PDB file of all heavy atoms in Angstrom:
ATOM      1  N   MET A 486      31.420  14.741  25.706  1.00  0.00           N
ATOM      2  CA  MET A 486      30.086  14.402  26.196  1.00  0.00           C
ATOM      3  C   MET A 486      29.537  15.495  27.118  1.00  0.00           C
ATOM      4  O   MET A 486      28.326  15.607  27.290  1.00  0.00           O
ATOM      5  CB  MET A 486      30.129  13.057  26.915  1.00  0.00           C
ATOM      6  CG  MET A 486      30.470  11.906  25.982  1.00  0.00           C
ATOM      7  SD  MET A 486      30.900  10.375  26.857  1.00  0.00           S
ATOM      8  CE  MET A 486      29.295   9.840  27.388  1.00  0.00           C
ATOM      9  N   TRP A 554      27.876  16.508  35.888  1.00  0.00           N
ATOM     10  CA  TRP A 554      28.089  15.833  34.593  1.00  0.00           C
ATOM     11  C   TRP A 554      27.301  14.541  34.629  1.00  0.00           C
ATOM     12  O   TRP A 554      27.581  13.653  35.425  1.00  0.00           O
ATOM     13  CB  TRP A 554      29.585  15.555  34.416  1.00  0.00           C
ATOM     14  CG  TRP A 554      29.993  14.930  33.117  1.00  0.00           C
ATOM     15  CD1 TRP A 554      30.216  15.570  31.928  1.00  0.00           C
ATOM     16  CD2 TRP A 554      30.285  13.536  32.871  1.00  0.00           C
ATOM     17  NE1 TRP A 554      30.617  14.663  30.962  1.00  0.00           N
ATOM     18  CE2 TRP A 554      30.667  13.415  31.514  1.00  0.00           C
ATOM     19  CE3 TRP A 554      30.261  12.384  33.670  1.00  0.00           C
ATOM     20  CZ2 TRP A 554      31.017  12.199  30.937  1.00  0.00           C
ATOM     21  CZ3 TRP A 554      30.597  11.157  33.097  1.00  0.00           C
ATOM     22  CH2 TRP A 554      30.972  11.073  31.745  1.00  0.00           C
ATOM     23  N   PHE A 555      26.271  14.449  33.793  1.00  0.00           N
ATOM     24  CA  PHE A 555      25.421  13.246  33.844  1.00  0.00           C
ATOM     25  C   PHE A 555      24.903  12.864  32.459  1.00  0.00           C
ATOM     26  O   PHE A 555      23.713  12.771  32.209  1.00  0.00           O
ATOM     27  CB  PHE A 555      24.268  13.435  34.845  1.00  0.00           C
ATOM     28  CG  PHE A 555      23.347  14.612  34.582  1.00  0.00           C
ATOM     29  CD1 PHE A 555      22.047  14.414  34.132  1.00  0.00           C
ATOM     30  CD2 PHE A 555      23.768  15.910  34.799  1.00  0.00           C
ATOM     31  CE1 PHE A 555      21.187  15.483  33.894  1.00  0.00           C
ATOM     32  CE2 PHE A 555      22.910  16.990  34.574  1.00  0.00           C
ATOM     33  CZ  PHE A 555      21.621  16.768  34.121  1.00  0.00           C
ATOM     34  N   PRO A 556      25.811  12.595  31.515  1.00  0.00           N
ATOM     35  CA  PRO A 556      25.370  12.218  30.167  1.00  0.00           C
ATOM     36  C   PRO A 556      24.641  10.889  30.106  1.00  0.00           C
ATOM     37  O   PRO A 556      23.929  10.623  29.130  1.00  0.00           O
ATOM     38  CB  PRO A 556      26.685  12.172  29.383  1.00  0.00           C
ATOM     39  CG  PRO A 556      27.719  11.871  30.405  1.00  0.00           C
ATOM     40  CD  PRO A 556      27.271  12.585  31.637  1.00  0.00           C
ATOM     41  N   PHE A 557      24.808  10.047  31.134  1.00  0.00           N
ATOM     42  CA  PHE A 557      24.116   8.755  31.178  1.00  0.00           C
ATOM     43  C   PHE A 557      22.932   8.781  32.128  1.00  0.00           C
ATOM     44  O   PHE A 557      22.428   7.729  32.542  1.00  0.00           O
ATOM     45  CB  PHE A 557      25.086   7.656  31.607  1.00  0.00           C
ATOM     46  CG  PHE A 557      26.206   7.418  30.634  1.00  0.00           C
ATOM     47  CD1 PHE A 557      27.510   7.798  30.945  1.00  0.00           C
ATOM     48  CD2 PHE A 557      25.978   6.830  29.404  1.00  0.00           C
ATOM     49  CE1 PHE A 557      28.550   7.579  30.054  1.00  0.00           C
ATOM     50  CE2 PHE A 557      27.004   6.606  28.503  1.00  0.00           C
ATOM     51  CZ  PHE A 557      28.297   6.988  28.834  1.00  0.00           C
ATOM     52  N   GLY A 558      22.439   9.961  32.486  1.00  0.00           N
ATOM     53  CA  GLY A 558      21.379  10.046  33.473  1.00  0.00           C
ATOM     54  C   GLY A 558      21.945   9.760  34.847  1.00  0.00           C
ATOM     55  O   GLY A 558      23.094  10.104  35.154  1.00  0.00           O
ATOM     56  N   GLY A 559      21.154   9.118  35.697  1.00  0.00           N
ATOM     57  CA  GLY A 559      21.626   8.812  37.039  1.00  0.00           C
ATOM     58  C   GLY A 559      20.555   8.125  37.854  1.00  0.00           C
ATOM     59  O   GLY A 559      19.406   7.963  37.413  1.00  0.00           O
ATOM     60  N   ALA A 563      19.659   5.025  35.654  1.00  0.00           N
ATOM     61  CA  ALA A 563      20.866   5.329  34.880  1.00  0.00           C
ATOM     62  C   ALA A 563      21.022   4.317  33.755  1.00  0.00           C
ATOM     63  O   ALA A 563      20.594   3.162  33.854  1.00  0.00           O
ATOM     64  CB  ALA A 563      22.091   5.305  35.787  1.00  0.00           C
ATOM     65  N   CYS A 564      21.647   4.744  32.679  1.00  0.00           N
ATOM     66  CA  CYS A 564      21.801   3.896  31.493  1.00  0.00           C
ATOM     67  C   CYS A 564      22.524   2.596  31.840  1.00  0.00           C
ATOM     68  O   CYS A 564      23.632   2.612  32.386  1.00  0.00           O
ATOM     69  CB  CYS A 564      22.584   4.659  30.426  1.00  0.00           C
ATOM     70  SG  CYS A 564      22.963   3.676  28.964  1.00  0.00           S
ATOM     71  N   GLN A 567      26.262   1.981  30.168  1.00  0.00           N
ATOM     72  CA  GLN A 567      27.334   2.966  30.336  1.00  0.00           C
ATOM     73  C   GLN A 567      28.707   2.392  29.998  1.00  0.00           C
ATOM     74  O   GLN A 567      29.481   2.991  29.243  1.00  0.00           O
ATOM     75  CB  GLN A 567      27.359   3.487  31.777  1.00  0.00           C
ATOM     76  CG  GLN A 567      26.218   4.409  32.131  1.00  0.00           C
ATOM     77  CD  GLN A 567      26.363   4.968  33.530  1.00  0.00           C
ATOM     78  OE1 GLN A 567      27.419   5.479  33.891  1.00  0.00           O
ATOM     79  NE2 GLN A 567      25.306   4.877  34.326  1.00  0.00           N
ATOM     80  N   SER A 570      29.095   1.717  26.269  1.00  0.00           N
ATOM     81  CA  SER A 570      29.270   2.938  25.493  1.00  0.00           C
ATOM     82  C   SER A 570      30.690   3.487  25.615  1.00  0.00           C
ATOM     83  O   SER A 570      31.303   3.878  24.616  1.00  0.00           O
ATOM     84  CB  SER A 570      28.260   3.998  25.958  1.00  0.00           C
ATOM     85  OG  SER A 570      28.458   5.213  25.265  1.00  0.00           O
ATOM     86  N   MET A 571      31.225   3.511  26.837  1.00  0.00           N
ATOM     87  CA  MET A 571      32.585   4.011  27.031  1.00  0.00           C
ATOM     88  C   MET A 571      33.606   3.094  26.356  1.00  0.00           C
ATOM     89  O   MET A 571      34.556   3.569  25.706  1.00  0.00           O
ATOM     90  CB  MET A 571      32.893   4.152  28.512  1.00  0.00           C
ATOM     91  CG  MET A 571      32.067   5.210  29.228  1.00  0.00           C
ATOM     92  SD  MET A 571      32.311   6.897  28.586  1.00  0.00           S
ATOM     93  CE  MET A 571      34.022   7.202  29.070  1.00  0.00           C
TER      94      MET A 571
END
Side-chain angles (χ1 to χ4, degrees):
M486 295 167 75
W554 183 83
F555 58 109
F557 296 109
C564 175
Q567 288 184 50
S570 177
M571 294 299 293

